[in-house]
Coordinates of all heavy atoms in Angstrom, one line a residue:
M1 N -21.8 26.7 -5.9 CA -21.6 25.4 -5.4 C -20.9 24.6 -6.4 O -21.2 24.7 -7.6 CB -22.9 24.7 -5.0 CG -22.8 23.4 -4.4 SD -24.3 22.7 -3.7 CE -24.9 21.7 -5.0
Y2 N -20.0 23.8 -6.0 CA -19.3 22.9 -6.9 C -20.0 21.5 -7.0 O -20.5 21.0 -6.0 CB -17.8 22.7 -6.5 CG -17.1 24.0 -6.4 CD1 -16.8 24.6 -5.2 CD2 -16.7 24.7 -7.6 CE1 -16.2 25.8 -5.1 CE2 -16.1 25.9 -7.6 CZ -15.8 26.5 -6.3 OH -15.2 27.7 -6.3
I3 N -20.0 20.9 -8.2 CA -20.8 19.7 -8.4 C -19.8 18.5 -8.4 O -20.1 17.4 -7.8 CB -21.6 19.8 -9.7 CG1 -22.5 21.0 -9.7 CG2 -22.4 18.4 -9.9 CD1 -23.6 20.9 -8.6
K4 N -18.7 18.6 -9.1 CA -17.9 17.4 -9.4 C -16.4 17.8 -9.2 O -16.0 18.8 -9.8 CB -18.2 16.9 -10.8 CG -17.6 15.6 -11.2 CD -18.1 15.2 -12.6 CE -17.5 13.9 -13.0 NZ -17.9 13.6 -14.4
G5 N -15.7 17.0 -8.4 CA -14.3 17.4 -8.2 C -13.3 16.2 -8.3 O -13.8 15.0 -8.2
D6 N -12.1 16.5 -8.4 CA -11.0 15.5 -8.4 C -9.8 16.1 -7.6 O -9.3 17.2 -8.0 CB -10.6 15.1 -9.8 CG -9.6 13.9 -9.8 OD1 -8.9 13.7 -8.8 OD2 -9.5 13.3 -10.8
F7 N -9.5 15.5 -6.5 CA -8.5 16.2 -5.6 C -7.2 15.4 -5.4 O -6.5 15.6 -4.5 CB -9.2 16.4 -4.2 CG -10.5 17.1 -4.3 CD1 -11.7 16.4 -4.2 CD2 -10.5 18.5 -4.5 CE1 -12.9 17.1 -4.3 CE2 -11.7 19.2 -4.6 CZ -12.9 18.5 -4.6
H8 N -6.9 14.6 -6.4 CA -5.6 13.8 -6.4 C -5.2 13.7 -7.9 O -5.5 12.7 -8.5 CB -5.8 12.5 -5.7 CG -4.5 11.7 -5.6 ND1 -4.5 10.5 -5.1 CD2 -3.2 12.1 -5.9 CE1 -3.2 10.0 -5.1 NE2 -2.5 11.0 -5.6
I9 N -4.5 14.7 -8.4 CA -4.1 14.7 -9.8 C -2.6 15.0 -9.9 O -2.1 15.9 -9.2 CB -4.8 15.8 -10.5 CG1 -6.4 15.6 -10.4 CG2 -4.4 15.9 -12.0 CD1 -7.2 16.8 -10.9
H10 N -1.9 14.3 -10.8 CA -0.5 14.5 -11.0 C -0.3 15.1 -12.4 O -0.8 14.6 -13.4 CB 0.3 13.2 -10.9 CG 0.3 12.7 -9.5 ND1 1.0 11.6 -9.2 CD2 -0.4 13.0 -8.4 CE1 0.8 11.3 -7.9 NE2 -0.1 12.1 -7.4
S11 N 0.5 16.1 -12.5 CA 0.8 16.7 -13.8 C 2.2 16.3 -14.3 O 3.0 15.6 -13.6 CB 0.7 18.2 -13.8 OG 1.9 18.8 -13.2
S12 N 2.7 16.8 -15.4 CA 4.0 16.6 -15.9 C 5.1 17.2 -15.0 O 6.3 16.9 -15.2 CB 4.1 17.1 -17.4 OG 3.8 18.5 -17.4
E13 N 4.7 18.0 -14.0 CA 5.7 18.5 -13.1 C 6.2 17.4 -12.1 O 7.2 17.5 -11.5 CB 5.1 19.6 -12.2 CG 4.8 20.9 -13.0 CD 6.1 21.6 -13.6 OE1 7.2 21.3 -13.0 OE2 5.9 22.4 -14.5
S14 N 5.4 16.2 -12.1 CA 5.9 15.0 -11.4 C 5.8 13.9 -12.3 O 6.5 13.8 -13.3 CB 5.3 14.8 -10.0 OG 3.9 14.6 -10.1
D15 N 4.9 12.9 -12.1 CA 4.9 11.7 -12.9 C 3.6 11.6 -13.8 O 3.3 10.6 -14.3 CB 5.0 10.5 -12.1 CG 3.9 10.3 -11.0 OD1 3.2 11.3 -10.8 OD2 3.9 9.3 -10.4
G16 N 2.9 12.8 -14.0 CA 1.8 12.8 -14.8 C 2.1 13.0 -16.3 O 3.3 13.4 -16.6
A17 N 1.2 12.9 -17.2 CA 1.4 13.0 -18.6 C 1.1 14.4 -19.1 O 1.8 14.9 -20.1 CB 0.6 12.0 -19.4
L18 N 0.2 15.1 -18.5 CA -0.3 16.4 -19.0 C 0.3 17.6 -18.2 O 0.5 17.5 -17.0 CB -1.8 16.5 -19.0 CG -2.6 15.5 -19.8 CD1 -4.1 15.6 -19.5 CD2 -2.3 15.5 -21.2
K19 N 0.5 18.7 -18.9 CA 0.9 19.9 -18.3 C -0.3 20.4 -17.4 O -1.4 20.1 -17.6 CB 1.2 21.0 -19.3 CG 2.5 20.7 -20.1 CD 2.7 21.7 -21.2 CE 3.9 21.3 -22.0 NZ 4.1 22.3 -23.2
P20 N 0.0 21.2 -16.3 CA -1.0 21.7 -15.4 C -2.2 22.4 -16.1 O -3.3 22.1 -15.8 CB -0.3 22.6 -14.5 CG 1.1 22.1 -14.5 CD 1.4 21.6 -15.9
G21 N -1.9 23.2 -17.1 CA -3.0 23.9 -17.8 C -3.8 22.9 -18.6 O -5.0 23.1 -18.8
E22 N -3.2 21.9 -19.2 CA -3.9 20.9 -20.0 C -4.8 20.1 -19.1 O -5.9 19.7 -19.5 CB -2.9 19.9 -20.7 CG -2.1 20.6 -21.7 CD -1.0 19.7 -22.3 OE1 -0.5 18.8 -21.6 OE2 -0.6 19.9 -23.5
I23 N -4.4 19.9 -17.8 CA -5.3 19.2 -16.9 C -6.5 20.0 -16.6 O -7.6 19.4 -16.6 CB -4.5 18.9 -15.6 CG1 -3.5 17.8 -15.9 CG2 -5.5 18.5 -14.5 CD1 -2.5 17.5 -14.7
V24 N -6.4 21.3 -16.4 CA -7.5 22.1 -16.2 C -8.5 22.1 -17.4 O -9.7 22.0 -17.2 CB -7.1 23.6 -15.9 CG1 -8.3 24.5 -15.8 CG2 -6.3 23.6 -14.6
L25 N -8.0 22.1 -18.6 CA -8.8 22.1 -19.8 C -9.5 20.7 -19.9 O -10.7 20.7 -20.3 CB -8.0 22.4 -21.0 CG -7.4 23.8 -21.1 CD1 -6.5 23.9 -22.4 CD2 -8.5 24.8 -21.1
L26 N -8.8 19.7 -19.5 CA -9.5 18.3 -19.5 C -10.6 18.2 -18.5 O -11.6 17.7 -18.7 CB -8.4 17.2 -19.3 CG -8.9 15.8 -19.3 CD1 -9.5 15.5 -20.7 CD2 -7.8 14.8 -19.0
A27 N -10.3 18.8 -17.3 CA -11.3 18.9 -16.3 C -12.6 19.6 -16.8 O -13.7 19.1 -16.6 CB -10.8 19.6 -15.0
K28 N -12.4 20.7 -17.4 CA -13.5 21.5 -18.0 C -14.3 20.7 -19.0 O -15.5 20.6 -18.9 CB -12.9 22.8 -18.6 CG -14.0 23.7 -19.3 CD -14.7 24.4 -18.2 CE -15.7 25.4 -18.9 NZ -16.5 26.2 -17.9
E29 N -13.6 20.0 -19.8 CA -14.2 19.2 -20.9 C -15.0 18.0 -20.2 O -16.1 17.7 -20.8 CB -13.1 18.6 -21.7 CG -13.5 17.8 -22.9 CD -12.2 17.3 -23.7 OE1 -11.3 18.1 -24.0 OE2 -12.1 16.1 -23.8
R30 N -14.6 17.6 -19.1 CA -15.3 16.5 -18.4 C -16.3 17.0 -17.3 O -16.7 16.2 -16.5 CB -14.3 15.5 -17.8 CG -13.5 14.8 -18.8 CD -12.5 13.8 -18.2 NE -11.8 13.1 -19.2 CZ -10.9 12.1 -19.0 NH1 -10.6 11.8 -17.8 NH2 -10.3 11.5 -20.0
N31 N -16.6 18.3 -17.4 CA -17.5 18.9 -16.4 C -17.1 18.8 -15.0 O -18.0 18.7 -14.1 CB -18.9 18.4 -16.6 CG -19.5 18.7 -18.0 OD1 -19.3 19.8 -18.4 ND2 -20.1 17.7 -18.7
I32 N -15.8 18.7 -14.7 CA -15.3 18.8 -13.4 C -15.0 20.2 -13.0 O -14.3 20.9 -13.8 CB -14.0 17.9 -13.2 CG1 -14.3 16.4 -13.5 CG2 -13.4 18.1 -11.9 CD1 -13.1 15.6 -13.7
D33 N -15.7 20.7 -12.0 CA -15.6 22.2 -11.8 C -14.6 22.6 -10.6 O -14.4 23.8 -10.3 CB -17.0 22.8 -11.6 CG -17.8 22.1 -10.5 OD1 -17.3 21.2 -9.9 OD2 -19.0 22.5 -10.4
I34 N -14.1 21.6 -9.9 CA -13.1 21.9 -8.9 C -12.0 20.8 -8.8 O -12.4 19.6 -8.8 CB -13.8 22.1 -7.5 CG1 -12.8 22.5 -6.4 CG2 -14.6 20.9 -7.1 CD1 -13.4 23.1 -5.2
I35 N -10.8 21.2 -8.8 CA -9.7 20.2 -8.8 C -8.6 20.6 -7.8 O -8.5 21.8 -7.4 CB -9.0 19.9 -10.2 CG1 -8.3 21.2 -10.6 CG2 -10.1 19.5 -11.2 CD1 -7.5 21.0 -11.9
S36 N -7.8 19.7 -7.4 CA -6.5 20.0 -6.7 C -5.4 19.3 -7.4 O -5.4 18.1 -7.7 CB -6.6 19.5 -5.2 OG -5.4 20.0 -4.6
L37 N -4.4 20.0 -7.8 CA -3.2 19.5 -8.4 C -2.2 19.1 -7.2 O -1.8 19.9 -6.4 CB -2.5 20.6 -9.2 CG -1.4 20.1 -10.2 CD1 -1.9 19.1 -11.2 CD2 -0.7 21.3 -10.8
T38 N -1.9 17.8 -7.2 CA -1.1 17.2 -6.1 C 0.1 16.5 -6.6 O 0.2 15.3 -6.4 CB -2.0 16.3 -5.2 OG1 -2.6 15.3 -6.1 CG2 -3.1 17.1 -4.5
D39 N 1.0 17.2 -7.2 CA 2.2 16.6 -7.7 C 3.1 16.1 -6.6 O 3.1 16.7 -5.5 CB 3.0 17.6 -8.6 CG 2.4 17.7 -10.0 OD1 2.2 16.6 -10.6 OD2 2.1 18.8 -10.5
H40 N 3.9 15.1 -6.9 CA 4.9 14.6 -5.9 C 6.0 15.7 -5.6 O 6.7 16.1 -6.4 CB 5.6 13.4 -6.5 CG 4.7 12.2 -6.6 ND1 4.3 11.4 -5.6 CD2 4.1 11.7 -7.7 CE1 3.5 10.4 -6.0 NE2 3.4 10.6 -7.3
N41 N 5.9 16.1 -4.3 CA 7.0 16.9 -3.8 C 7.3 18.2 -4.5 O 8.4 18.7 -4.4 CB 8.3 16.1 -3.6 CG 8.1 14.8 -2.8 OD1 7.5 14.9 -1.7 ND2 8.4 13.7 -3.4
T42 N 6.3 18.8 -5.2 CA 6.5 20.1 -5.8 C 5.2 20.8 -5.9 O 4.1 20.1 -6.1 CB 7.2 19.9 -7.2 OG1 7.3 21.3 -7.7 CG2 6.3 19.1 -8.1
V43 N 5.2 22.1 -5.9 CA 4.0 22.9 -6.1 C 4.2 23.7 -7.4 O 3.4 24.7 -7.6 CB 3.7 23.9 -4.9 CG1 3.3 23.1 -3.7 CG2 4.9 24.8 -4.6
K44 N 5.2 23.4 -8.2 CA 5.5 24.2 -9.4 C 4.4 24.4 -10.3 O 4.3 25.4 -11.0 CB 6.7 23.5 -10.1 CG 8.1 23.9 -9.5 CD 9.2 23.5 -10.5 CE 9.4 22.0 -10.5 NZ 10.6 21.6 -11.2
G45 N 3.5 23.4 -10.5 CA 2.4 23.5 -11.4 C 1.2 24.2 -11.0 O 0.3 24.5 -11.8
N46 N 1.1 24.5 -9.7 CA -0.1 25.1 -9.2 C -0.4 26.5 -9.8 O -1.6 26.8 -10.1 CB 0.0 25.2 -7.6 CG -0.3 23.9 -7.0 OD1 -1.3 23.2 -7.3 ND2 0.5 23.6 -6.0
K47 N 0.6 27.3 -10.0 CA 0.3 28.7 -10.5 C -0.3 28.6 -11.9 O -1.3 29.3 -12.1 CB 1.6 29.5 -10.5 CG 1.4 30.9 -10.9 CD 2.7 31.8 -10.8 CE 2.4 33.2 -11.1 NZ 3.6 34.0 -11.0
Q48 N 0.3 27.8 -12.8 CA -0.3 27.7 -14.1 C -1.7 27.1 -14.1 O -2.6 27.6 -14.8 CB 0.6 26.7 -15.0 CG 0.1 26.6 -16.4 CD 0.9 25.5 -17.1 OE1 0.3 24.6 -17.6 NE2 2.2 25.7 -17.3
A49 N -1.9 26.1 -13.2 CA -3.3 25.5 -13.1 C -4.3 26.6 -12.6 O -5.4 26.7 -13.1 CB -3.2 24.3 -12.2
I50 N -3.9 27.4 -11.6 CA -4.8 28.4 -11.1 C -5.1 29.4 -12.2 O -6.3 29.8 -12.3 CB -4.2 29.0 -9.8 CG1 -4.2 28.0 -8.7 CG2 -5.0 30.3 -9.4 CD1 -3.4 28.4 -7.5
V51 N -4.1 29.9 -12.9 CA -4.3 30.9 -13.9 C -5.3 30.4 -15.0 O -6.3 31.1 -15.4 CB -3.0 31.4 -14.6 CG1 -3.2 32.2 -15.8 CG2 -2.2 32.1 -13.5
V52 N -5.0 29.2 -15.5 CA -5.9 28.6 -16.5 C -7.3 28.3 -15.9 O -8.3 28.5 -16.6 CB -5.2 27.3 -17.1 CG1 -6.2 26.7 -18.1 CG2 -3.9 27.7 -17.8
G53 N -7.3 27.9 -14.7 CA -8.6 27.6 -14.1 C -9.4 28.9 -13.9 O -10.7 28.9 -14.1
N54 N -8.8 30.0 -13.6 CA -9.5 31.3 -13.5 C -10.1 31.7 -14.8 O -11.2 32.2 -14.9 CB -8.6 32.4 -13.0 CG -8.4 32.2 -11.5 OD1 -9.1 31.6 -10.8 ND2 -7.3 32.8 -11.0
I55 N -9.4 31.4 -15.9 CA -9.9 31.8 -17.3 C -11.1 30.9 -17.7 O -12.0 31.4 -18.3 CB -8.7 31.6 -18.3 CG1 -7.7 32.7 -18.0 CG2 -9.3 31.7 -19.7 CD1 -6.4 32.5 -18.8
H56 N -11.0 29.6 -17.3 CA -12.0 28.6 -17.8 C -13.0 28.2 -16.8 O -13.8 27.3 -17.1 CB -11.3 27.4 -18.4 CG -10.4 27.7 -19.6 ND1 -11.0 27.8 -20.8 CD2 -9.1 28.0 -19.7 CE1 -10.0 28.2 -21.7 NE2 -8.9 28.3 -21.1
G57 N -13.0 28.8 -15.6 CA -14.1 28.6 -14.7 C -13.9 27.2 -13.9 O -14.9 26.6 -13.6
V58 N -12.7 26.8 -13.7 CA -12.4 25.6 -12.9 C -11.7 26.1 -11.7 O -10.6 26.7 -11.8 CB -11.6 24.6 -13.7 CG1 -11.3 23.4 -12.8 CG2 -12.3 24.1 -15.0
K59 N -12.2 25.8 -10.5 CA -11.6 26.2 -9.3 C -10.4 25.2 -9.0 O -10.6 24.0 -9.1 CB -12.6 26.1 -8.1 CG -12.0 26.3 -6.7 CD -11.6 27.7 -6.5 CE -11.1 28.0 -5.1 NZ -10.7 29.4 -4.9
V60 N -9.2 25.8 -8.7 CA -8.0 25.0 -8.5 C -7.6 25.2 -7.1 O -7.2 26.4 -6.7 CB -6.9 25.3 -9.5 CG1 -5.7 24.5 -9.1 CG2 -7.3 25.0 -10.9
I61 N -7.5 24.2 -6.3 CA -7.0 24.3 -4.9 C -5.5 23.8 -5.0 O -5.2 22.7 -5.4 CB -7.8 23.3 -4.0 CG1 -9.3 23.7 -3.9 CG2 -7.2 23.3 -2.6 CD1 -10.1 22.7 -3.2
P62 N -4.6 24.7 -4.6 CA -3.2 24.3 -4.6 C -2.9 23.1 -3.7 O -3.4 23.1 -2.6 CB -2.4 25.6 -4.1 CG -3.4 26.6 -3.9 CD -4.8 26.0 -4.0
G63 N -2.2 22.1 -4.2 CA -1.9 21.0 -3.4 C -0.5 20.4 -3.6 O 0.3 20.9 -4.4
I64 N -0.3 19.3 -3.0 CA 1.0 18.6 -3.1 C 0.9 17.2 -2.5 O 0.0 17.0 -1.7 CB 2.1 19.4 -2.2 CG1 3.5 18.8 -2.6 CG2 1.8 19.3 -0.8 CD1 4.7 19.7 -2.0
E65 N 1.7 16.3 -3.0 CA 1.8 15.0 -2.4 C 3.2 14.8 -1.9 O 4.1 14.7 -2.6 CB 1.4 13.9 -3.4 CG 1.4 12.5 -2.8 CD 0.8 11.4 -3.7 OE1 0.3 11.8 -4.7 OE2 0.9 10.3 -3.3
L66 N 3.3 14.8 -0.5 CA 4.7 14.7 0.1 C 5.0 13.2 0.3 O 4.2 12.4 0.8 CB 4.7 15.4 1.4 CG 4.5 16.9 1.4 CD1 4.3 17.4 2.8 CD2 5.8 17.5 0.7
S67 N 6.3 12.9 -0.1 CA 6.8 11.5 0.1 C 7.6 11.5 1.4 O 8.4 12.4 1.6 CB 7.7 11.1 -1.0 OG 7.0 11.1 -2.2
T68 N 7.2 10.6 2.3 CA 7.9 10.5 3.6 C 8.0 9.1 4.0 O 7.6 8.2 3.3 CB 7.3 11.4 4.6 OG1 8.1 11.5 5.8 CG2 5.9 11.0 5.0
R69 N 8.4 8.9 5.2 CA 8.5 7.5 5.8 C 7.9 7.5 7.2 O 8.1 8.5 7.9 CB 9.9 7.0 5.8 CG 10.5 6.7 4.4 CD 11.8 6.0 4.5 NE 12.2 5.5 3.2 CZ 11.8 4.4 2.6 NH1 11.1 3.6 3.3 NH2 12.2 4.1 1.4
Y70 N 7.3 6.4 7.5 CA 6.8 6.2 8.9 C 7.3 4.8 9.2 O 7.0 3.8 8.6 CB 5.3 6.2 8.9 CG 4.8 6.0 10.3 CD1 4.9 7.0 11.3 CD2 4.1 4.8 10.7 CE1 4.4 6.8 12.6 CE2 3.7 4.6 12.0 CZ 3.8 5.6 12.9 OH 3.3 5.5 14.2
H71 N 8.2 4.8 10.2 CA 9.0 3.6 10.6 C 9.7 3.2 9.3 O 10.4 3.9 8.7 CB 8.1 2.5 11.2 CG 7.5 2.9 12.5 ND1 8.2 3.0 13.6 CD2 6.3 3.3 12.8 CE1 7.5 3.4 14.6 NE2 6.3 3.6 14.2
R72 N 9.5 2.0 8.7 CA 10.2 1.6 7.5 C 9.3 1.6 6.3 O 9.7 1.2 5.2 CB 10.8 0.2 7.7 CG 11.9 0.2 8.7 CD 12.5 -1.2 8.8 NE 13.7 -1.1 9.6 CZ 14.6 -2.0 9.7 NH1 14.4 -3.1 9.0 NH2 15.6 -1.9 10.6
N73 N 8.1 2.2 6.5 CA 7.1 2.2 5.4 C 7.1 3.6 4.7 O 7.2 4.6 5.3 CB 5.7 1.9 5.9 CG 5.6 0.6 6.5 OD1 6.1 -0.4 6.0 ND2 5.1 0.6 7.8
Q74 N 7.1 3.5 3.3 CA 7.0 4.8 2.6 C 5.5 5.2 2.7 O 4.6 4.5 2.5 CB 7.3 4.5 1.1 CG 7.5 5.8 0.3 CD 7.9 5.5 -1.1 OE1 7.7 4.5 -1.7 NE2 8.6 6.5 -1.7
V75 N 5.3 6.5 2.9 CA 4.0 7.1 3.1 C 3.9 8.4 2.2 O 4.8 9.2 2.2 CB 3.8 7.5 4.6 CG1 2.4 8.2 4.7 CG2 3.9 6.3 5.5
H76 N 2.8 8.5 1.5 CA 2.5 9.7 0.7 C 1.4 10.4 1.4 O 0.3 9.8 1.7 CB 2.2 9.3 -0.7 CG 3.3 8.8 -1.5 ND1 3.2 8.3 -2.8 CD2 4.6 8.6 -1.2 CE1 4.3 7.9 -3.2 NE2 5.2 8.0 -2.3
I77 N 1.6 11.7 1.6 CA 0.6 12.5 2.3 C 0.1 13.6 1.4 O 0.9 14.4 0.9 CB 1.2 13.2 3.6 CG1 1.8 12.1 4.5 CG2 0.2 14.1 4.3 CD1 2.6 12.7 5.7
L78 N -1.2 13.6 1.2 CA -1.8 14.7 0.4 C -2.0 15.9 1.2 O -2.6 15.8 2.3 CB -3.1 14.2 -0.2 CG -3.0 13.2 -1.3 CD1 -4.4 12.8 -1.8 CD2 -2.2 13.7 -2.5
G79 N -1.7 17.1 0.7 CA -1.9 18.3 1.4 C -2.5 19.3 0.5 O -2.4 19.2 -0.7
Ligands
LIG1 ZN1 -0.5 10.5 -6.0

């Protein structure tokens, strides 16, 4: 069972500061045991996050944040 999670995280593959693997290590340090990497319009960081997560015992759910529009409003959808 997972205790603590964060399911909306951006890495340096979009507008975040840390590389995907660094995010996993930070999650481990903060006792977060399940995360989802949700970079803007890319899944490029998911593979690295999953590999590092498997080594360090942090479950990584592959994710994305899609930018789109609904009528004239900008909408971001987490997947
Ligand atoms: Zn976001």
Side-chain angles (χ1 to χ4, degrees):
M1 184 170 96
Y2 301 105
I3 304 296
K4 192 174 176 185
D6 187 337
F7 305 103
H8 185 185
I9 302 172
H10 296 186
S11 78
S12 57
E13 294 293 341
S14 61
D15 59 352
L18 301 178
K19 294 176 183 174
E22 294 172 331
I23 288 170
V24 173
L25 296 177
L26 183 60
K28 178 75 176 180
E29 188 180 303
R30 294 183 178 181
N31 296 315
I32 296 170
D33 53 5
I34 184 168
I35 66 170
S36 183
L37 191 63
T38 55
D39 279 310
H40 291 280
N41 304 308
T42 181
V43 293
K44 279 193 285 187
N46 279 317
K47 186 174 181 182
Q48 181 186 121
I50 289 168
V51 168
V52 176
N54 285 340
I55 293 168
H56 293 279
V58 177
K59 175 70 176 177
V60 177
I61 300 169
I64 191 167
E65 183 169 353
L66 292 171
S67 300
T68 188
R69 289 189 172 274
Y70 181 73
H71 296 285
R72 291 185 173 191
N73 300 309
Q74 190 175 27
V75 177
H76 291 177
I77 301 169
L78 288 178

